[in-house]
Amino acid sequence: MHKYCNSIILPFSAIELYDVVINVEAYPDFLPWCLSAKIIKKIDKNNFDAELKVGYKAIDEKYISRIRAKYGKKINSKAISGPFKVLDSTWIFIDSGKKKCNVEFMIEYEFKSFFLDKVMGSLFKKATLKMLDAFEQRAHFLYE
């Protein structure tokens, strides 16, 4: 199983950063490996299932994630179908002063197939390492 954790203080409020991460349908606009994203089952604006298609070059995969969130505080996403044996990510947002937020990001994943892990694993690892930066850049684009 692959795991990654990072923490950073960003010059945005917890609500602003939360709003960037919870807006799953905008992911194709700024995450290069995200080819499509749509909400397929909505409980409310903070809790829903989303279908995402990720890929690179000739390889792409669809999966469904169940998103459960506490507004402005925490977002958890777990894959419930698709090529992952495990795909679990958590974002935690902690205001730390005026227009400052500590963001903690954790992800763990494992593909169901050994072949897919070899083919998609390195791409997914690169995407994971760049994920926090991509969301930070999106926040700069939206709020500055």
Side-chain angles (χ1 to χ4, degrees):
M1 175 136 22
H2 307 277
K3 295 180 183 182
Y4 173 75
C5 298
N6 198 358
S7 179
I8 188 170
I9 295 176
L10 296 174
F12 304 98
S13 71
I15 296 296
E16 287 172 331
L17 293 169
Y18 176 92
D19 286 345
V20 171
V21 176
I22 201 72
N23 188 5
V24 172
E25 291 178 310
Y27 287 8
D29 295 340
F30 66 96
L31 294 175
W33 57 90
C34 185
L35 306 175
S36 68
K38 65 182 176 181
I39 294 172
I40 57 171
K41 180 181 176 187
K42 192 169 192 171
I43 297 168
D44 59 38
K45 68 179 185 172
N46 301 301
N47 299 281
F48 53 87
D49 293 349
E51 181 184 79
L52 293 100
K53 183 177 179 183
V54 295
Y56 182 70
K57 295 188 180 179
I59 299 171
D60 58 61
E61 290 287 335
K62 281 186 182 179
Y63 66 96
I64 296 174
S65 273
R66 179 152 291 149
I67 288 78
R68 297 294 179 256
K70 184 174 180 182
Y71 182 69
K73 303 285 184 199
K74 182 178 182 178
I75 299 171
N76 178 258
S77 175
K78 288 183 190 252
I80 58 172
S81 74
F84 297 98
K85 186 175 184 179
V86 173
L87 175 58
D88 188 359
S89 65
T90 301
W91 295 83
I92 298 171
F93 309 94
I94 303 165
D95 272 321
S96 59
K98 189 174 182 178
K99 289 286 271 188
K100 279 188 182 177
C101 179
N102 184 44
V103 180
E104 296 176 13
F105 173 66
M106 297 149 279
I107 188 168
E108 60 182 13
Y109 63 93
E110 181 177 352
F111 288 94
K112 290 177 183 174
S113 145
F114 175 79
F115 172 76
L116 201 55
D117 188 58
K118 289 298 170 200
V119 174
M120 291 281 289
S122 63
L123 168 70
F124 207 78
K125 182 177 181 178
K126 288 177 188 174
T128 298
L129 295 173
K130 293 182 179 186
M131 196 171 295
L132 191 55
D133 184 56
F135 283 95
E136 178 183 357
Q137 295 310 312
R138 181 67 172 180
H140 282 288
F141 174 77
L142 293 173
Y143 301 118
E144 290 185 341

